[in-house]
């Protein structure tokens, strides 16, 4: 079986250690060798295409639900030939030819097929009402998916006049969902026909399942509803015992080097599981759990490709641009970076070396210095400017409730520092964190701002393509928790997705940042610092400070005890 060169290299290293690991100490009732993985994301859905499932899509389920591409450790898309092949072919319209691996089969015995592509596209295209989609980027530009039901071949044809340069981000790991499960649950015998014929009653039932049918809650699970297309499958989920992934017996590729991975997501007691030796891989926000004892681990502090930011509501107390500007001007961004954003393993320049003055362009991009000038007035905290903006908004004072999943000591300090600064401008900032906090609380009115990564999501975030960052501000996107709507921003991002001329890209990016600093749907702070730690004896683990986290190659991990 062919692998991408990145995984092939690691697989060769793992092969010599696998036998020793199998004879080593065991964990769990079934005595299968086990590796614990602590991560600060939340797990509420198996479906990475929904708003609820976006946070864990690749961090937790990237090697459970595989796709044509996965996110590598540097944030880059990497082809996964175990899933199949995808290539752009000539045509009047942009056309991508997908071919699923002939040996591909879900863990329940049902073969993978182009039906999965049709279903994922239909749910994420924005064309059919009722589907809760985290992002429609790219999918909305697809005109049709040509597929004979049950076939391993599918052809994606984009709309005339449209081109989507980052097409390798489509139908990826953690987001390509099993159509046959939805078809059975929604009583739709032929999903392909339902989509092609625009069968609204059938599509409505499919949408209902897409939105909630793969929800995950700790406790008893009907695992038949969660089949796997990767080297691991879901076995159980419990707050105390973690989310347990075991080797998929029907996996057609190289067998995972360790047969059992136990993921401990929030709100599990991460500190307790690390302390009792249940965890060998730690991937969390730096400073979020300061009491951790990582003396037995090799520790790295790295800047993430996700930007730590305040996502603001565009209603309630922040219904006016002036109110949002008042808050942004009193946030001490430079002081926050100096005290909370610096990491020990950041480069001297570029990613992690200073403030993030853009939500969508990363500091190591050649475009970054030219597009971020509009951020200058918002660097150090301008109390006089904040008071003037507050007056312009017709307010004498303002109370801002900031939410994030607790506990998180670094984010608690962030809110505290903002509160101390903004108090001088007549703005009261309250910490509204809770253990079960979710981004839906912002549009629901429970908070006024979210402190987190792109789209307000917790945990590992970011990628070279920056799709989640862009989607987090697009009109109608599920990740747009603040419900910001601006037709010019939407048009700019559409143009950028198809534009390969560097001068035009620079002009569009500059216009986008100027617009966002004027309207302030969010306030970028710094590259989210990540602490990634591997215990002694762990082999083949590679830090991944991106949306896939360090679990991007968990099937190659080996623990020598």
């Amino acid at each position: 079986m062919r692998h991408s060169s990145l995984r092939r290299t690691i697989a060769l290293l793992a092969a010599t250690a696998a036998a020793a690991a199998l004879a080593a100490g065991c964990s769990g009732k079934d005595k299968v060798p086990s590796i614990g993985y602590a991560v600060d994301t939340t797990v509420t859905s198996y479906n990475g295409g929904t708003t609820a499932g976006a946070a864990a899509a690749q961090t937790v389920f990237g090697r459970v639900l595989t796709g044509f591409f996965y996110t590598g450790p540097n944030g880059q898309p990497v082809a996964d030939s175990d899933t199949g092949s995808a290539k752009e072919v000539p045509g009047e319209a942009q056309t991508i030819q997908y071919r699923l691996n002939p040996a591909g089969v879900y863990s329940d015995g049902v073969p993978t097929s182009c039906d999965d592509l049709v279903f994922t596209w239909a749910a994420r295209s924005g064309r059919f009402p009722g589907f809760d989609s985290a992002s429609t980027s790219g999918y909305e530009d697809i005109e049709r998916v040509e597929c004979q039901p049950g076939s391993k071949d599918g052809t994606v044809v984009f709309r005339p006049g449209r081109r989507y340069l980052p097409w390798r981000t489509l139908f990826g790991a953690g987001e390509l969902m099993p159509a046959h499960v939805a078809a059975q649950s929604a009583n739709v015998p032929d999903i392909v026909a339902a989509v092609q014929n625009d069968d609204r009653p059938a599509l409505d039932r499919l949408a209902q399942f897409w939105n909630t049918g793969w929800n995950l809650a700790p406790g008893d699970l009907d695992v038949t509803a969660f089949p796997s297309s990767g080297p691991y499958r879901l076995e159980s989920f419990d707050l105390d015992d973690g989310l347990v992934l075991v080797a998929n017996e029907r996996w057609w590729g190289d067998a995972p080097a360790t047969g059992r991975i136990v993921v401990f997501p929030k709100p599990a007691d991460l500190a307790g599981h690390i302390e009792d030796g249940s965890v060998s891989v730690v991937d969390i926000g730096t400073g979020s759990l300061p009491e951790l004892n990582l003396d037995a681990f090799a520790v790295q502090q790295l800047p993430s490709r996700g930007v730590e930011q305040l996502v603001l509501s565009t209603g309630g107390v922040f219904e006016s641009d002036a109110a949002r500007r008042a808050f942004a001007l009193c946030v001490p961004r430079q002081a926050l970076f100096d005290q909370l954003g610096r990491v020990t393993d950041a480069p001297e320049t570029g990613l992690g070396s200073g403030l993030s003055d853009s939500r969508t362009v990363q500091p190591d991009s050649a475009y970054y210095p030219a597009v971020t000038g509009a951020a200058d007035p918002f660097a150090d905290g301008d109390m006089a400017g904040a008071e003037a903006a507050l007056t312009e908004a017709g307010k004498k004072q303002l109370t801002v409730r900031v939410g994030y999943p607790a506990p998180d000591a670094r984010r608690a300090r962030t809110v505290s520092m903002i509160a101390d600064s903004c108090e001088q401008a007549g703005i009261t900032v309250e910490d509204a964190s809770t253990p079960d906090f979710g981004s839906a609380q912002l549009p629901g009115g429970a908070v006024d701002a979210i402190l987190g990564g792109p789209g307000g999501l917790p945990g590992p975030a970011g990628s070279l393509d920056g799709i989640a960052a862009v989607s987090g501000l697009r009109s109608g996107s599920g990740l747009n928790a603040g419900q910001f709507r601006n037709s010019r921003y939407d048009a700019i991002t559409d143009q950028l997705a198809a534009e390969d001329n560097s001068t035009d890209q620079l002009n569009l990016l500059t216009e986008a940042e100027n617009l966002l600093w004027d309207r302030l749907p969010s306030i970028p702070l710094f590259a989210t610092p990540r602490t990634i730690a591997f215990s002694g004896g762990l082999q083949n683990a590679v830090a991944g400070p991106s949306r896939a986290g360090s679990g991007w190659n968990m099937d190659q991990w080996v623990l020598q005890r």
Side-chain angles (χ1 to χ4, degrees):
M1 180 61 60
R2 295 184 301 110
H3 279 268
S4 67
S5 59
L6 193 59
R7 276 214 173 89
R8 187 188 305 121
T9 301
I10 296 174
L12 290 172
L13 295 172
T16 57
L22 290 173
C26 301
S27 174
K29 297 177 182 179
D30 51 8
K31 303 302 180 184
V32 174
S34 179
I35 293 176
Y37 176 32
V39 65
D40 59 347
T41 191
T42 55
V43 175
T44 57
S45 176
Y46 194 58
N47 184 356
T50 62
T51 305
Q58 294 196 40
T59 306
V60 175
F61 296 122
R63 299 306 291 153
V64 177
L65 292 167
T66 55
F68 288 94
F69 293 87
Y70 61 91
T71 302
N74 296 316
Q76 76 279 31
V78 182
D80 191 341
S81 57
D82 282 327
T83 296
S85 63
K87 64 178 181 179
E88 194 167 13
V89 297
E92 291 186 9
Q94 183 181 18
T95 302
I96 314 297
Q97 193 172 75
Y98 291 90
R99 176 159 292 178
L100 289 151
N101 193 314
V105 61
Y106 284 98
S107 56
D108 59 5
V110 176
T112 59
S113 71
C114 61
D115 301 45
D116 302 328
L117 279 74
V118 171
F119 178 51
T120 298
W121 165 66
R124 304 194 63 175
S125 66
R127 181 176 303 186
F128 306 102
F131 289 94
D132 167 30
S133 176
S135 169
T136 60
S137 294
Y139 293 100
E140 65 184 353
D141 295 320
I142 295 172
E143 177 68 24
R144 65 185 183 275
V145 179
E146 297 174 353
C147 165
Q148 291 296 321
S151 173
K152 291 288 185 177
D153 296 324
T155 301
V156 168
V157 181
F158 284 76
R159 290 188 287 131
R162 289 296 303 156
R163 183 169 178 79
Y164 191 67
L165 293 178
W167 61 266
R168 292 173 181 82
T169 62
L170 305 177
F171 306 109
E175 300 178 357
L176 186 59
M177 301 306 296
H180 68 281
V181 176
Q184 182 177 10
S185 298
N187 191 25
V188 180
D190 188 341
I191 281 183
V192 175
V195 173
Q196 291 175 345
N197 298 329
D198 195 12
D199 182 344
R200 289 307 172 94
L203 290 167
D204 287 344
R205 296 196 300 275
L206 288 169
Q208 291 174 21
F209 182 82
W210 167 272
N211 295 342
T212 61
W214 280 302
N215 282 359
L216 280 169
D220 293 334
L221 290 178
D222 177 8
V223 294
T224 61
F226 304 92
S228 161
S229 61
Y232 289 107
R233 62 175 175 82
L234 177 60
E235 183 182 68
S236 62
F237 184 23
D238 182 86
L239 278 184
D240 293 328
D241 298 329
L243 187 145
V244 179
L245 307 177
V246 295
N248 175 8
E249 301 85 346
R250 284 193 161 96
W251 171 241
W252 57 93
D254 293 334
T258 296
R260 190 172 185 266
I261 303 292
V262 181
V263 184
F264 296 105
K266 275 193 167 183
D269 179 11
L270 302 187
H273 289 300
I274 293 168
E275 184 67 28
D276 68 17
S278 301
V279 168
S280 297
V281 178
V282 178
D283 191 340
I284 61 174
T286 297
S288 59
L289 295 172
E291 72 276 13
L292 292 185
N293 180 359
L294 297 177
D295 292 345
F297 290 72
V299 181
Q300 301 174 71
Q301 289 187 8
L302 298 166
S304 169
R305 290 214 166 267
V307 176
E308 186 82 351
Q309 57 194 284
L310 289 153
V311 178
L312 308 185
S313 172
T314 52
V317 299
F318 283 142
E319 64 181 349
S320 70
D321 295 351
R324 295 194 297 276
R325 186 165 64 254
F327 181 54
L329 284 168
C330 74
V331 173
R333 296 173 62 244
Q334 185 63 53
L336 290 172
F337 169 74
D338 291 339
Q339 295 193 35
L340 303 173
R342 295 185 182 276
V343 292
T344 57
D345 297 310
E348 292 185 4
T349 59
L351 192 67
S353 62
L355 286 175
S356 290
D357 287 334
S358 169
R359 304 128 178 100
T360 58
V361 181
Q362 297 180 6
D364 55 354
S365 164
Y367 298 123
Y368 183 82
V371 305
T372 53
D376 291 346
F378 300 91
D380 296 318
D382 176 1
M383 299 310 129
E387 290 174 347
L390 203 60
T391 300
E392 181 185 345
K395 300 177 183 293
K396 294 183 178 180
Q397 58 185 11
L398 196 68
T399 298
V400 179
R401 300 159 297 170
V402 181
Y404 58 89
D408 189 318
R410 190 192 75 243
R411 286 176 173 152
R413 286 188 60 197
T414 301
V415 175
S416 177
M417 288 179 64
I418 294 172
D420 290 344
S421 176
C422 290
E423 184 180 18
Q424 304 170 56
I427 298 175
T428 300
V429 178
E430 299 177 350
D431 189 318
S433 61
T434 59
D436 60 349
F437 182 84
S439 59
Q441 294 185 36
L442 183 61
V447 297
D448 307 300
I450 299 174
L451 180 58
L457 298 178
S463 60
L464 280 176
D465 54 69
I467 299 301
V470 172
S471 296
L473 296 171
R474 278 181 58 91
S475 300
S477 168
L479 292 178
N480 186 356
Q483 299 184 328
F484 174 67
R485 294 182 181 275
N486 185 278
S487 59
R488 180 55 191 156
Y489 176 79
D490 295 345
I492 291 171
T493 57
D494 287 345
Q495 289 176 262
L496 282 168
E499 184 58 69
D500 55 6
N501 180 281
S502 59
T503 300
D504 291 339
Q505 285 180 340
L506 177 60
N507 291 336
L508 288 167
L509 288 167
T510 302
E511 183 184 355
E513 279 305 322
N514 289 342
L515 185 156
L516 294 175
W517 280 109
D518 181 58
R519 299 296 306 279
L520 289 162
S522 62
I523 306 170
L525 302 177
F526 42 76
T528 303
R530 304 294 298 173
T531 291
I532 299 172
F534 304 131
S535 68
L538 186 71
Q539 300 180 352
N540 306 328
V542 177
S546 72
R547 63 179 178 176
S550 296
W552 69 273
N553 73 326
M554 64 170 64
D555 53 316
Q556 302 301 331
W557 292 347
V558 176
L559 183 61
Q560 296 277 23
R561 302 178 191 267

